[in-house]
Amino acid sequence: MTDKKKLGNFTSENAPEYEDVLQCMRCGFCLPTCPTFSLTGRERSSPRGRVALARAVSEGKLEFTEAVKEEAFFCLDCRACTTACPSGVRAGEVMEICRSQAHQFFPLKHVSKSFREFVLQKMLPNPGLLETSMLPARLYQKLGIQWLVRHSQLLKLGPEWVDKAERMIPELHPPLRPQLADVIPAEGEQRGRVAFFLGCIMTLMYPEVSRQTVRVLTHQGFEVVTPKEQKCCGAPHLTEGDRDTTKLIAQHNLDLFMALDVDAIVTDCAGCGAALKEYEELLEEAGEHDKLATFRGKIKDVSEFLAEQGLRTEDLKPVEKIVTYHEPCHLCHAQGISKQPRELIKAIPGIVFREMEEASWCCGSAATFSLKYTTESQQILDRKLENVQATGAELLVTANPGCHLQLAWGLKQAGLKQEVVHITELLGMAVSG
Amino acid sequence: MISDTAIQHLIDKLGKENVITAAEDLLVLGYDSTPGLHATPDLVVYPTNSEQVQSVMQVARDYKVPITPRGSGTGLSGGSIPVDGGIVICLSKMNKILEIDEENLTATCQAGVVTLDLFNAVAAKGLFYPPDPGSQKISTLGGNVMEDAGGLRGLKYGVTRDYVMALKCVLPDGSLLSTGGKSVKDVAGYAFKDLLVGSEGTLAIITEITVKLIPPPQDKRTFLAYFDDIRIAGEAVSKIIAAKIIPSTMEIMDKATINCVEDYVKIGLPREMAALLLIEVDGHPAMVTEEAEGVERILKEVGAAEVHIAKDAEEAASLAAARRTALSALARVSPTTLLEDATVPRSMLAETFALIERLTKKYALTVGTFGHAGDGNLHPTVLCDERDADEMKRAHAFYDELYEQVLAWGGTVSGEHGIGIAKKKYLARQIGPGGVAVMKRIKQAFDPEGILNPGKIFTDGQE
């Protein structure tokens, strides 16, 4: 670590840049787009307010208090404010950094600390360990949910969330990662060679979705390479404020994927895509600027990639369904990918596409937010479900496992008929065979 | 400081959840969008109805505590900043639209209703509320009325003042005042509502507003004209007005602004051009056709480099939306954006652009200029860094010299943002000591104790 000058009341380790908080000119354009501000009407729970708190800490006008920590975690990190901000302020990232600060100011007690470290530093970076058992009970542990149970007090979790977590887990199939061949050939005329970044949640909870992603990619003429040594993208660590482990994982994935001779690195998880695209900023201290820029250029969400390459529609069979699309925050706000998934959906023969109101409004999942803030998460989800229902769609298409879990659970709870599908599942329906 | 008994009194009246004292909350309720200004209140209250506003005012009166009204904090002159501490009264929870009266073409709403929400609600009934300040997505009607907010449509449709028909408010002595009504004509005594509009929260706290609505235009056409020289754009504006064409919108952006906005919206604005004009004509289709031809002819005559017509309503809306981001987009370039609000008679536009160019060079600054060219209302914005004392000094000298000339041309130091804290020292220069004295007597009549929004409009020496 290079020696950094201490910024106000932040610690010198993983502190925000002063320029980043100064950038906010307080126009308030972010306020109407923020789900937590919409819920509370409280300025400190808005992007403008949160950045102002970070600025006050960095100017020594405020200590890093419990309330600052609370706001750092209450932020959904949905990045809707980033999309809305003409001045280029990234309030979500500032809050991610504040989460890291929160762990320094409010260190966990010994047992809790070692358990958190076990989950974030040992389990998640190691796909082999994650996959050793597929019993749902064990899976909870692997995903850190048991850790959350133990910390329910620390995180002020109510008792209702355990039940919720249990019911949210979909029917599980064997993880996909060990089943995928290292190289899967393209079908028809080959258009390129891509590496597949297979996210932890995708391989463990949605293996059948990612199987469709690979199937669609090969059907579209791409050879798919899946390096088995890949690790978690680092998003859970960043979300929980563990920036040091994130950097180690990021470096590993960077080196691994850059050693491959591929045209693009494709992922079907919006959360992973967003995290991978941020390696450039995360690892900038290491100085490998050209390598990082090339890596950044190769990372593609599967929708982004297919829309860019153009969908081969000749042998797609019609899918006679009415569908609507929920935009994952980490796709539309964090990566600016909004029109591509719609283009793909509309390109499928037979589809009737109905746009929902507020398609880019968060669903309330937001990593562990849905478990930490069950009431608020439900309110955000209800708003989303109302908009889904109003479309009369049969299928709700999305592109991120967090949204997928939350929406499927919400629809089932509300007794609604819609089924949630990943965009590659929808494309998979149109692929013959 | 505010006493515990006063706080308890407020909690009794408003409920605990609407009386805020946590340091982190107070810290973020003492700013608006004006750069460099911040003060911390002792307490913040969120009333939910007029009676509660009255209760809060009575507590402020009884305990002689300063009280500052606030909406969404998007003001650009510091009007809602609690310079003397005390109570900040946030009206954002009073956000109900109470009535849309289709027979009288009026809408009545609480002060905390967001401008765009009112626009959308009346549009759903086939009606039109024209005032559209840049921050309409979040600004409140109460704030709009207090600052007499303008917007992109001011040229043809006027500003907030032109739509206010009635106000209900709470005076600093804690009494209620209701002024105006739904009658189109009303000359009963002094026009209090006209005095309250633009009073920057110094005379009363508004709780309820009735505005006039009009039928929306049936048709419109939107032009985007590019210029190699910003003075030619200024000339185009003057010529269009002189040709007796009143577009609904005639907005300008200079090169610096075009580039910052394009960095954000990415819709293909011309980065190389010195300026662009966004012009919209609306009304009856026959009139729109005629005026559009006139505008196009004049743009070609004065020598616009390129003239484009928006292909549909969606493209027109995206252009207006892009223009609305101008100020915030300029903030991408530097940590501090000092925005001003100089307004000149429209015949002086080309000269004003030349003056801004000259002063920019003289004081070695980076300036982005945009604004409502059709109203002669420009927002020359200095892109600077508040940590650089010398640069800030030059920025202030720039504005001093600019305003001197603007006033000499018969212009005003504030077209639509208000005096607030930011422009206090310029007010006397514009209206003279006599004018200030009368204003102060009016303030004294409404607020003899000086508890309501102190420290605004008048400099200390004048108080």
Side-chain angles (χ1 to χ4, degrees):
Chain A
M1 278 293 144
T2 45
D3 267 358
K4 269 192 190 165
K5 231 181 89 191
K6 199 171 149 352
L7 183 61
N9 290 334
F10 284 115
T11 70
S12 53
E13 199 73 8
N14 292 321
E17 297 288 332
Y18 188 51
E19 297 290 330
D20 292 344
V21 294
L22 213 52
Q23 199 66 40
C24 173
M25 49 82 69
R26 309 184 298 212
C27 65
F29 279 30
C30 54
L31 299 180
T33 69
C34 175
T36 58
F37 178 70
S38 167
L39 278 184
T40 63
R42 212 171 171 185
E43 178 80 12
R44 64 170 242 198
S45 304
S46 75
R48 180 173 69 174
R50 289 182 174 121
V51 171
L53 287 179
R55 181 173 173 174
V57 175
S58 59
E59 288 174 349
K61 291 174 182 158
L62 180 71
E63 295 294 328
F64 195 101
T65 60
E66 191 74 37
V68 178
K69 175 194 159 190
E70 181 69 20
E71 283 311 330
F73 283 97
F74 187 46
C75 168
L76 293 154
D77 202 10
C78 72
R79 312 289 174 96
C81 52
T82 306
T83 302
C85 181
S87 319
V89 178
R90 292 177 297 188
E93 281 170 68
V94 172
M95 284 304 109
E96 268 183 3
I97 292 171
C98 283
R99 289 177 186 185
S100 167
Q101 288 278 322
H103 287 298
Q104 299 173 53
F105 281 104
F106 304 96
L108 303 174
K109 291 197 187 72
H110 181 68
V111 182
S112 325
K113 183 166 176 278
S114 38
F115 197 83
R116 174 174 177 276
E117 280 170 2
F118 175 69
V119 172
L120 290 178
Q121 294 169 17
K122 295 274 162 46
M123 296 306 296
L124 281 177
N126 189 327
L129 272 178
L130 268 177
E131 288 154 1
T132 42
S133 169
M134 281 314 300
L135 286 169
R138 295 293 298 277
L139 182 72
Y140 289 7
Q141 296 173 12
K142 307 297 184 244
L143 292 173
I145 293 174
Q146 189 178 83
W147 169 73
L148 281 170
V149 176
R150 295 187 182 192
H151 296 79
S152 55
Q153 198 130 18
L154 183 96
L155 295 166
K156 299 196 176 69
L157 292 174
E160 65 278 17
W161 78 268
V162 182
D163 191 37
K164 178 176 175 183
E166 211 153 30
R167 280 181 291 147
M168 279 180 93
I169 307 282
E171 189 195 338
L172 294 167
H173 300 277
L176 182 65
R177 198 187 64 104
Q179 301 178 51
L180 279 183
D182 287 348
V183 179
I184 303 172
E187 285 169 30
E189 193 193 335
Q190 184 169 338
R191 299 159 80 191
R193 177 177 156 93
V194 301
F196 184 41
F197 188 89
L198 180 55
C200 310
I201 313 285
M202 294 308 295
T203 181
L204 289 171
M205 290 206 186
Y206 292 110
E208 293 313 307
V209 172
S210 283
R211 196 188 297 283
Q212 292 303 316
T213 304
V214 174
R215 187 161 160 258
V216 169
L217 282 168
T218 53
H219 171 267
Q220 287 293 312
F222 299 96
E223 185 179 50
V224 178
V225 185
T226 312
K228 293 287 159 59
E229 308 80 35
Q230 58 180 288
K231 291 187 174 178
C232 168
C233 65
H237 309 80
L238 217 51
T239 307
E240 288 299 320
D242 182 359
R243 294 183 80 79
D244 292 337
T245 309
T246 317
K247 287 176 190 172
L248 291 174
I249 297 175
Q251 190 65 49
H252 170 88
N253 285 332
L254 174 73
D255 294 339
L256 177 71
F257 279 91
M258 286 304 284
L260 301 174
D261 177 27
V262 291
D263 306 317
I265 303 160
V266 177
T267 176
D268 56 3
C269 167
C272 294
L276 295 168
K277 285 178 179 178
E278 280 168 20
Y279 279 9
E280 203 176 354
E281 290 84 29
L282 190 76
L283 295 175
E284 68 183 341
E285 282 172 6
E288 298 177 299
H289 297 299
D290 292 347
K291 186 172 171 184
L292 283 164
T294 313
F295 180 78
R296 167 76 180 74
K298 283 191 176 184
I299 300 294
K300 302 281 173 191
D301 180 80
V302 64
S303 297
E304 180 186 20
F305 181 73
L306 289 174
E308 222 169 74
Q309 300 293 322
L311 203 61
R312 285 202 303 216
T313 53
E314 308 87 70
D315 56 347
L316 291 185
K317 34 176 210 198
V319 179
E320 308 288 348
K321 295 277 185 194
I322 305 169
V323 308
T324 189
Y325 175 64
H326 160 72
E327 305 203 53
C329 297
H330 280 83
L331 201 57
C332 67
H333 299 307
Q335 300 184 57
I337 296 169
S338 195
K339 61 177 198 299
Q340 296 92 326
R342 291 177 169 85
E343 281 170 21
L344 295 179
I345 294 170
K346 289 176 188 166
I348 301 171
I351 290 273
V352 177
F353 180 70
R354 288 195 192 147
E355 192 67 58
M356 72 165 92
E357 290 289 318
E358 304 182 323
S360 65
W361 193 267
C362 182
C363 66
S365 169
T368 49
F369 183 94
S370 69
L371 301 176
K372 286 176 188 163
Y373 300 96
T374 39
T375 312
E376 290 84 353
S377 171
Q378 186 65 50
Q379 288 168 323
I380 299 172
L381 178 60
D382 287 344
R383 181 169 174 160
K384 175 60 67 181
L385 295 181
E386 244 171 67
N387 288 325
V388 172
Q389 205 182 358
T391 64
E394 299 161 83
L395 293 179
L396 171 55
V397 183
T398 191
N400 187 53
C403 308
H404 203 134
L405 269 174
Q406 170 93 342
L407 292 168
W409 178 77
L411 288 167
K412 200 173 145 199
Q413 282 268 104
L416 298 173
K417 60 177 172 54
Q418 282 86 1
E419 192 189 333
V420 184
V421 293
H422 190 284
I423 189 161
T424 59
E425 287 182 283
L426 186 70
L427 288 164
M429 292 179 198
V431 172
S432 322
Chain B
M1 277 308 282
I2 185 161
S3 74
D4 290 346
T5 43
I7 295 175
Q8 192 51 51
H9 202 93
L10 289 168
I11 291 173
D12 292 344
K13 294 285 183 189
L14 276 71
K16 205 168 168 45
E17 71 282 8
N18 291 322
V19 179
I20 309 290
T21 52
E24 293 82 359
D25 284 296
L26 300 181
L27 197 77
V28 298
L29 290 163
Y31 55 64
D32 65 3
S33 298
T34 321
L37 297 180
H38 184 251
T40 309
D42 296 311
L43 180 115
V44 177
V45 291
Y46 285 89
T48 52
N49 57 47
S50 293
E51 293 69 40
Q52 291 187 347
V53 175
Q54 202 175 6
S55 301
V56 177
M57 191 73 103
Q58 284 161 357
V59 168
R61 174 199 66 195
D62 294 346
Y63 294 86
K64 295 201 179 2
V65 183
I67 175 165
T68 305
R70 183 183 193 276
S72 291
T74 57
L76 290 162
S77 57
S80 64
I81 293 171
V83 281
D84 291 349
I87 301 170
V88 161
I89 179 165
C90 259
L91 296 153
S92 54
K93 286 193 183 172
M94 290 177 55
N95 58 0
K96 288 185 195 65
I97 296 171
L98 303 170
E99 181 197 51
I100 296 171
D101 181 343
E102 292 178 80
E103 285 183 10
N104 287 306
L105 299 189
T106 64
T108 301
C109 60
Q110 291 183 312
V113 166
V114 169
T115 317
L116 190 62
D117 291 346
L118 177 70
F119 175 91
N120 288 332
V122 305
K125 294 192 182 284
L127 289 163
F128 182 33
Y129 175 69
D132 59 340
S135 54
Q136 62 173 357
K137 271 189 190 168
I138 188 67
S139 67
T140 62
L141 257 294
N144 292 168
V145 171
M146 288 279 89
E147 300 294 332
D148 189 13
L152 272 59
R153 301 190 190 105
L155 173 56
K156 179 173 181 175
Y157 291 103
V159 295
T160 305
R161 173 182 303 285
D162 302 308
Y163 294 85
V164 175
M165 295 192 74
L167 294 172
K168 280 188 185 160
C169 57
V170 177
L171 298 177
D173 66 2
S175 63
L176 289 170
L177 177 73
S178 193
T179 164
K182 288 183 182 175
S183 313
V184 174
K185 292 175 165 180
D186 180 2
V187 293
Y190 292 148
F192 280 137
K193 84 174 163 62
D194 290 315
L195 182 57
L196 292 171
V197 176
S199 64
E200 307 190 21
T202 62
L203 301 181
I205 295 177
I206 293 175
T207 61
E208 209 177 288
I209 301 156
T210 298
V211 294
K212 176 172 85 175
L213 306 173
I214 59 175
Q218 294 167 30
D219 192 14
K220 58 177 157 187
R221 201 148 320 155
T222 307
F223 294 90
L224 201 55
Y226 305 156
F227 300 87
D228 302 319
D229 184 328
I230 194 163
R231 281 165 296 194
I232 300 178
E235 198 186 320
V237 171
S238 305
K239 289 233 163 107
I240 288 170
I241 304 282
K244 301 178 181 61
I245 297 170
I246 307 291
S248 57
T249 287
M250 196 140 54
E251 295 289 312
I252 193 158
M253 285 193 237
D254 73 351
K255 190 174 186 170
T257 314
I258 292 170
N259 278 282
C260 288
V261 170
E262 179 59 16
D263 282 344
Y264 174 56
V265 296
K266 302 184 180 76
I267 54 172
L269 297 177
R271 290 181 180 276
E272 299 310 313
M273 288 290 166
L276 69 75
L277 281 177
L278 172 67
I279 303 173
E280 194 163 280
V281 290
D282 70 4
H284 186 279
M287 196 181 89
V288 168
T289 306
E290 197 182 307
E291 290 190 342
E293 281 167 11
V295 166
E296 208 168 349
R297 194 186 62 245
I298 293 167
L299 288 172
K300 286 186 178 146
E301 275 168 18
V302 297
E306 286 175 44
V307 178
H308 301 271
I309 299 175
K311 64 176 190 303
D312 51 27
E314 200 181 330
E315 191 182 337
S318 80
L319 290 171
R323 156 60 188 89
R324 282 179 209 286
T325 67
L327 169 61
S328 314
L330 281 169
R332 299 174 87 86
V333 178
S334 62
T336 312
T337 37
L338 284 185
L339 161 86
E340 285 298 339
D341 189 25
T343 306
V344 294
R346 288 171 291 206
S347 57
M348 301 308 293
L349 267 179
E351 281 85 346
T352 310
F353 288 125
L355 174 67
I356 292 171
E357 229 164 74
R358 188 170 64 74
L359 294 178
T360 303
K361 282 203 192 90
K362 177 174 173 184
Y363 292 105
L365 294 164
T366 307
V367 176
T369 301
F370 62 97
H372 318 293
D375 306 337
N377 183 190
L378 298 180
H379 299 313
T381 303
V382 177
L383 310 178
C384 50
D385 188 335
E386 60 195 76
R387 295 166 292 185
D388 182 341
D390 184 62
E391 190 181 38
M392 296 306 279
K393 219 169 109 187
R394 281 182 279 126
H396 290 296
F398 168 91
Y399 287 124
D400 274 347
E401 196 169 335
L402 176 68
Y403 279 132
E404 203 169 285
Q405 186 57 55
V406 163
L407 291 176
W409 283 332
T412 171
V413 297
S414 182
E416 57 180 3
H417 297 163
I419 297 296
I421 301 170
K423 266 168 280 183
K424 289 199 281 191
K425 70 169 179 173
Y426 297 115
L427 179 68
R429 283 197 218 169
Q430 181 173 332
I431 64 169
V436 172
V438 175
M439 283 191 187
K440 280 172 61 187
R441 288 210 293 277
I442 293 170
K443 165 75 177 167
Q444 180 75 21
F446 275 80
D447 181 20
E449 300 285 348
I451 56 166
L452 183 57
N453 205 5
K456 309 295 158 65
I457 305 182
F458 314 108
T459 57
D460 293 340
Q462 295 163 340
E463 270 171 319

